[in-house]
Amino acid sequence: PVVVVDTNRGHVAAARLMGLTLQPPAAVRHPAGRRQPRHLQPPLREARGGLAGPQGRPAAGPRAGGHAVLPDRLPDGRRRQGVRPPGGPPAGTFDKHDWNAWQDAVDLTLRSAVELTRAVLPGMRERHWGRIVAVNSIAAKQPVDNLMLSNSIRAAVTGFLRTLANEVAADGITVNTILPGYTRTERVTHLAEANARKEGVDQKEILGRFEREIPMRRLGEPGEFGALAAFLCSERASYITAQSI
């Protein structure tokens, strides 16, 4: 099975359709002892020294240095493949975010990618096989209005993974990034709501604007995203790496 790490309900549903195993995101310790804001906390809870998902199923191994460590192998002993969660910093313009908001966004978006990669990479190298797929955003290449935090930090995630791809390619590990545009997910709904409040218009008007910006004149569907993620984690994609799709 493939392990999908995701906080976006639409992407989680797509993963289920593709037959992928779900995994909540790795927890990130907040710097300087500050607690992570509730809306940024991953859906994990303590369970017998480890972590568990919403239904109580084991989700990660013991913490190391304040971070959740994902087991290198699945319960049946098979090797793990990693798909990083997208999540997403809150919407807003530059003057709406203080430095704490920037730090929260770095922890949520960049540091989560770094720590999850640190947890799974040694085992992949040991077996000379692995798949890392980061679910980022089109904002990494094409800034989206009212997303100052996301536009800025997602570009750093792309740079990190593109550099990592070169470092681990000889170990049989592929590293790719999915940059979904407007897809019919909870994240896009929240973005439309935020833009509607900012502009004083109806949410449907914002969603219609999104669709008009897309050449196909429609939002992407979660299942279309899931099919791409599943392919990049498969043996057939063994010669595809360092790509942002």
Side-chain angles (χ1 to χ4, degrees):
V2 176
V3 177
V4 176
V5 188
D6 213 317
T7 59
N8 187 309
R9 292 181 183 177
H11 292 147
V12 167
R16 289 197 179 103
L17 289 174
M18 295 298 113
L20 308 181
T21 303
L22 304 181
Q23 183 78 41
V28 177
R29 181 177 57 187
H30 214 63
R34 292 187 294 115
R35 296 189 63 181
Q36 212 172 11
R38 183 175 297 276
H39 73 283
L40 295 179
Q41 293 177 3
L44 300 175
R45 62 179 176 79
E46 297 287 348
R48 297 183 180 179
L51 297 168
Q55 285 75 46
R57 294 188 295 271
R63 292 173 183 258
H67 304 289
V69 177
L70 299 179
D72 188 58
R73 284 187 175 272
L74 298 165
D76 61 5
R78 284 184 284 180
R79 56 199 173 193
R80 180 180 298 280
Q81 300 171 7
V83 181
R84 199 193 71 77
T93 56
F94 176 75
D95 58 353
K96 298 297 184 182
H97 304 299
D98 60 16
W99 179 245
N100 286 335
W102 280 88
Q103 186 64 66
D104 289 339
V106 168
D107 287 346
L108 174 71
T109 308
L110 176 60
R111 191 174 182 186
S112 63
V114 172
E115 294 298 343
L116 180 55
T117 301
R118 195 190 310 278
V120 301
L121 193 58
M124 290 181 175
R125 275 180 159 154
E126 181 181 350
R127 290 185 303 277
H128 297 281
W129 194 97
R131 299 285 186 270
I132 297 175
V133 178
V135 184
N136 205 352
S137 167
I138 192 63
K141 284 187 173 183
Q142 179 180 317
V144 178
D145 290 345
N146 203 38
L147 287 184
M148 171 59 73
L149 296 177
S150 186
N151 294 339
S152 302
I153 299 167
R154 289 188 185 280
V157 175
T158 298
F160 158 62
L161 291 160
R162 178 62 181 81
T163 305
L164 179 69
N166 288 347
E167 294 180 0
V168 301
D171 296 316
I173 301 168
T174 66
V175 182
N176 293 290
T177 307
I178 299 178
L179 305 177
Y182 293 121
T183 306
R184 200 179 305 280
T185 63
E186 191 176 63
R187 169 69 171 169
V188 167
T189 299
H190 289 166
L191 177 58
E193 291 173 351
N195 286 353
R197 287 194 301 269
K198 178 186 175 185
E199 299 179 23
V201 299
D202 188 78
Q203 179 183 338
K204 291 183 179 179
E205 181 176 337
I206 300 298
L207 288 173
R209 186 185 306 169
F210 290 167
E211 292 177 340
R212 289 190 296 274
E213 293 176 4
I214 301 170
M216 289 188 175
R217 297 296 187 266
R218 68 172 179 84
L219 300 180
E221 296 297 334
E224 294 168 322
F225 159 86
L228 174 59
F231 171 69
L232 291 175
C233 287
S234 71
E235 292 286 356
R236 294 183 179 181
S238 60
Y239 203 61
I240 300 175
T241 194
Q243 301 303 305
S244 296
I245 305 172

